[in-house]
Amino acid sequence: MKTHSLSRIAGALVVALGLSTSAMANETSSGISGQIMNPKGNAAINTTITVTHIPTGITKTVKTNESGHYNLRGLKVGGPYKIVIDSETFKDQEHNNIYLTVGKPLRFSTDLEVDDVERIQVTGSKIVGFTNKGSSGSWGAEEIINAPGGSRDLKDVLRSNPLVTVSTDSDSSMSIAGSNPRYNSFTVDGVKQNDDFGLNGNGYPTQRSPISIDAIAQVSVETTPFSARNGGFSGGQVNAVTKSGTNEFHGSLSYEKDSSDWAGDFESIDGKEIDLEFESTNYAFTLGGPIIEDELFFFLSYDKYDAPTTVEYGPKNSNAANPTGVSLADYERVRNIAQSVYGVDAGTWDAQPEEQDEKLLVKIDWNINDDHRAAFTYQNTEGNVTRNMTSSENELKLSTHWYNKNEKLETLAAHLYSTWSDDFSSEIKLAWKDVDTEQAPNSKAMGDVTIETESGNIALGPDKYRHGNALTNTTISFRALGEYLYNDHEISFGLEYDTVDVMNLFAPDSLGVFTFYGIDDFEARNADYMSYKNAYTNNVADAEANFKFTTTALFVEDLFYITDDIILTAGLRY
C-alpha cells in the first residue's frame, strides 16, 4: 500500500448523547424521521405517514418499513407542517404546527392506539427561533428581523450563541469556538459565500453582508459538525436558507436612516471646534407569492445602502477635523504645478466618495409533484468602499491617491429534491458563483508621487499597489446526495465536485513610483527616487496569472438511532 494515499482518506466516528442532532453539510432542507410502534410495543409495519407543508400545499407520503421506521428528506425548512399517521388497524393520528430546522431533521416517533380508546390530542408550535443546543443554534425569520444590532448582518443574530464571537472593529470578523474567522464556512441556499482569498476582514467576499436579512427564512450555526458529509472547512458552519413564496402574497418594506442631524451637538473637543457630519440610508423590500397555486412560487428581495465617506484629515488652516502639517498654500501650489507642468489633476483633499451596497435575490420554487420539487435561486450583490484616505499629521493624501475597492458577487443555484420510494430519496445541487474584486484608483494619469515638504508629505496619484490589481474567481459546484433507509439505519452517500477558475492581476509599480525632495524639484521635474516594474511586454494585462483547481469528494455515512435521543454515526470521506 502506498502510504501517501492514506492522507487523502478521512474517517469520522461520532457518538452524540443527549438531544439528538445531526451535522449540517451545506444543507438547504430538512426532514422528518422516526419509528411508529403499535399498542403492544411492536413495529407498526406499513403505516402511512403523510406530511403536508401548509403554506404551499405540497404533500409527502411514506410507509414504515419492517422495523417501523420511516424517513422523509428534502423538506422545506420552517413550516407549519401537518403530520397525519394512518393505520388500517389502529386509531389515526394528526399532529399540527410542526416546524423544521435546516440541516436538523426532526425525530418524530409515536405509539399507535386502538380505536376504542378516547384520546386527547395536544398540539403546539415548535420554537424555531432562538434554540441553542450545546454547540449549535437555529433562528427563524422573526428572530432574525428582531435581533438587536444596527448592521443588518446575520452576525447580529449568530452572536447570541455563546460560542460565537463577533469583533467590535470595523470588519466585524466572526470567530466560532475560538477558530480563525477564515476557517469558517458560510452558505446561502447551499452556495458557499466565504472570503476565498482572505482579502476582507469580515469573512465575506463582499464589503458588507452578501445577503439581506429580510431574505432569510432560517439560519443555523454548528460549532463542531463532525460528519463525513462535511468538507472544505475546519471551523464553524453557518447555513442560511432564503425565504420562498407561498399560496398567499406576502412582503415587507423597511427604511433606515442614520444622520448627524439627530446626534448631539459638540462645540469642541479638547478646545478644538468639531463639525460632526454623517449620514447613511438603507431601504429594502421583499415580495413573495404564487405564480400557480400549490405548484409554482416566487420570492424577490432588494436591499440598498448608501453612505458618504467623511474625510478626517486636511491641510493646516482648513476646516478639516484633523489638520496635517501640510500648509494650505503648499497644497494649492502642488495642485497648480500638477496641472500646469504635468497636465494632470492631482485631486483634492475634501472629496466625499459614496459607499454603496446593493443586494438582489430572486427565487423560484416549483412543486413538480408530490415526489419531486425544485428550487432556483439567483443572487447579485455589489458594494464598494473608498480606501487609502487616512492621512496622518505628517502626510496629506489627495483624492487621486485613494482607490475604490469594488466587489461583485453573483450566484445561480438549482436544487432538485426527489423521493423515489419509501426507503430512498435524493438531493442534487448545481451552482455557479462568480466573484469580481477590483481595486481601482481614482486616476491612472500618473504614477505614485510623493512630495516631501518641510511641514509634511503630499501624496498624489495611485499608490504603487493599485497600478494593476484585480481578482476574479468563478466556481462551479455539483453535489449529489442519496439517502437510504435500511431497517433502523439511515445511510447517506454522495459525490461533491468543485472547480475554481482564477484570474489574479497584481503588478505594483507598473505606473511608476516617484519621490521629490521638495516642491521646487516637483516643479522642475527632478525626481530624487524612481521605480518602475511591469510585465516583460510593458503591457500590465500580461502580468495576469490564470489558474484552475478542482476538488472531488466521495462520502458514505451510516446514522443509527440507538434511541430517539442517542445517535451513533460512522462515515468515510475520500
Side-chain angles (χ1 to χ4, degrees):
M1 178 181 291
K2 295 181 180 180
T3 56
H4 71 270
S5 65
L6 294 177
S7 64
R8 302 178 63 189
I9 300 178
L13 179 62
V14 177
V15 178
L17 300 177
L19 190 63
S20 63
T21 62
S22 64
M24 298 178 291
N26 301 338
E27 298 289 355
T28 59
S29 64
S30 190
I32 302 175
S33 66
Q35 187 178 27
I36 309 300
M37 307 295 286
N38 63 27
K40 295 183 178 181
N42 299 321
I45 304 173
N46 289 327
T47 299
T48 301
I49 293 94
T50 302
V51 176
T52 303
H53 184 246
I54 302 301
T56 60
I58 190 170
T59 299
K60 291 265 191 181
T61 301
V62 69
K63 290 182 179 292
T64 58
N65 61 16
E66 294 181 355
S67 61
H69 285 85
Y70 70 95
N71 185 29
L72 279 169
R73 288 294 187 265
L75 301 179
K76 297 175 71 68
V77 301
Y81 280 89
K82 178 176 71 174
I83 300 177
V84 175
I85 301 174
D86 183 8
S87 172
E88 296 180 357
T89 307
F90 304 104
K91 187 177 181 65
D92 295 343
Q93 295 183 11
E94 179 177 315
H95 303 266
N96 295 288
N97 294 322
I98 305 297
Y99 288 80
L100 303 182
T101 304
V102 57
K104 302 278 187 183
L106 174 68
R107 188 67 176 175
F108 188 88
S109 300
T110 188
D111 294 333
L112 299 178
E113 299 172 345
V114 295
D115 278 333
D116 57 355
V117 174
E118 182 178 354
R119 184 171 183 269
I120 300 175
Q121 178 177 321
V122 179
T123 61
S125 58
K126 178 178 182 289
I127 299 176
V128 182
F130 176 52
T131 57
N132 252 343
K133 301 176 181 178
S135 63
S136 65
S138 301
W139 298 263
E142 184 176 350
E143 287 71 27
I144 293 172
I145 293 297
N146 294 326
S151 64
R152 291 180 59 83
D153 193 322
L154 285 174
K155 292 174 184 176
D156 291 333
V157 182
L158 299 170
R159 73 198 319 161
S160 59
N161 183 287
L163 295 179
V164 175
T165 303
V166 180
S167 68
T168 56
D169 56 25
S170 58
D171 289 328
S172 299
S173 59
M174 182 177 68
S175 175
I176 300 178
S179 64
N180 188 296
R182 292 185 173 91
Y183 293 165
N184 302 328
S185 180
F186 175 72
T187 65
V188 176
D189 283 354
V191 180
K192 289 184 179 180
Q193 302 190 7
N194 307 323
D195 179 19
D196 297 325
F197 280 80
L199 299 178
N200 296 331
N202 59 13
Y204 298 137
T206 50
Q207 289 301 307
R208 295 168 66 85
S209 171
I211 187 72
S212 171
I213 60 171
D214 296 335
I216 301 300
Q218 198 174 118
V219 63
S220 296
V221 62
E222 182 80 18
T223 305
T224 54
F226 292 106
S227 170
R229 294 164 56 159
N230 286 320
F233 66 97
S234 57
Q237 167 78 39
V238 177
N239 278 330
V241 177
T242 58
K243 295 177 181 177
S244 297
T246 66
N247 281 326
E248 296 182 0
F249 285 98
H250 58 87
S252 63
L253 178 65
S254 67
Y255 178 79
E256 298 179 8
K257 183 176 180 178
D258 187 14
S259 175
S260 55
D261 294 338
W262 304 334
D265 295 327
F266 294 89
E267 293 184 357
S268 66
I269 296 179
D270 295 331
K272 184 182 184 312
E273 290 188 1
I274 297 297
D275 185 15
L276 293 177
E277 291 187 7
F278 58 87
E279 182 176 294
S280 66
T281 59
N282 197 120
Y283 65 88
F285 72 86
T286 66
L287 179 64
I291 301 175
I292 302 175
E293 190 172 346
D294 290 340
E295 183 176 341
L296 197 62
F297 309 90
F298 79 94
F299 178 79
L300 171 68
S301 170
Y302 181 79
D303 194 306
K304 182 69 180 293
Y305 171 85
D306 287 284
T309 303
T310 303
V311 178
E312 298 181 5
Y313 288 86
K316 187 167 52 178
N317 300 324
S318 67
N319 61 347
N322 298 293
T324 64
V326 177
S327 68
L328 191 60
D330 284 348
Y331 154 72
E332 292 175 347
R333 184 185 174 195
V334 165
R335 286 202 67 198
N336 291 332
I337 292 172
Q339 186 65 57
S340 60
V341 176
Y342 296 91
V344 297
D345 182 2
T348 65
W349 67 268
D350 58 349
Q352 283 195 314
E354 282 285 318
E355 178 184 349
Q356 296 183 333
D357 185 81
E358 192 172 22
K359 304 179 179 72
L360 172 68
L361 180 124
V362 180
K363 187 175 183 181
I364 300 294
D365 287 89
W366 180 22
N367 294 342
I368 304 171
N369 53 44
D370 287 347
D371 295 324
H372 305 276
R373 74 175 180 92
F376 307 91
T377 306
Y378 173 76
Q379 182 185 357
N380 190 317
T381 299
E382 186 170 5
N384 77 294
V385 63
T386 300
R387 292 187 172 178
N388 210 27
M389 297 177 62
T390 303
S391 302
S392 65
E393 294 182 359
N394 299 317
E395 184 177 40
L396 176 64
K397 296 180 179 180
L398 305 187
S399 57
T400 54
H401 201 67
W402 309 344
Y403 69 92
N404 182 46
K405 186 175 184 184
N406 184 74
E407 289 167 319
K408 181 179 180 180
L409 166 71
E410 194 172 14
T411 71
L412 184 63
H415 293 81
L416 177 64
Y417 308 90
S418 299
T419 300
W420 302 99
S421 69
D422 291 341
D423 299 322
F424 181 65
S425 61
S426 67
E427 296 182 17
I428 296 176
K429 178 195 77 174
L430 181 61
W432 169 84
K433 179 182 73 171
D434 187 80
V435 180
D436 288 325
T437 300
E438 181 185 27
Q439 300 189 27
N442 290 341
S443 171
K444 284 192 175 183
M446 68 199 88
D448 185 347
V449 177
T450 302
I451 303 162
E452 298 182 359
T453 72
E454 292 182 359
S455 57
N457 298 340
I458 301 176
L460 57 138
D463 82 83
K464 59 184 296 183
Y465 298 114
R466 251 47 66 175
H467 292 181
N469 195 319
L471 175 67
T472 300
N473 62 90
T474 303
T475 305
I476 297 177
S477 302
F478 174 78
R479 184 172 188 256
L481 169 68
E483 296 195 77
Y484 181 69
L485 179 63
Y486 178 73
N487 290 330
D488 48 1
H489 293 264
E490 296 177 12
I491 302 171
S492 59
F493 53 91
L495 162 73
E496 290 180 339
Y497 175 83
D498 293 273
T499 179
V500 183
D501 284 285
V502 180
M503 185 287 291
N504 187 19
L505 171 63
F506 183 61
D509 295 14
S510 56
L511 292 174
V513 179
F514 309 91
T515 301
F516 297 89
Y517 295 157
I519 301 179
D520 291 339
D521 281 356
F522 179 55
E523 186 173 22
R525 294 176 175 265
N526 181 24
D528 296 276
Y529 171 82
M530 292 184 294
S531 174
Y532 175 77
K533 304 171 188 175
N534 208 335
Y536 71 95
T537 60
N538 258 7
N539 182 359
V540 69
D542 292 331
E544 289 182 3
N546 294 277
F547 53 94
K548 178 180 180 178
F549 60 92
T550 62
T551 303
T552 305
L554 301 172
F555 60 88
V556 61
E557 185 171 83
D558 181 12
L559 187 148
F560 172 59
Y561 282 89
I562 300 175
T563 70
D564 281 348
D565 296 324
I566 302 177
I567 307 172
L568 175 65
T569 304
L572 183 68
R573 184 180 184 90
Y574 174 83

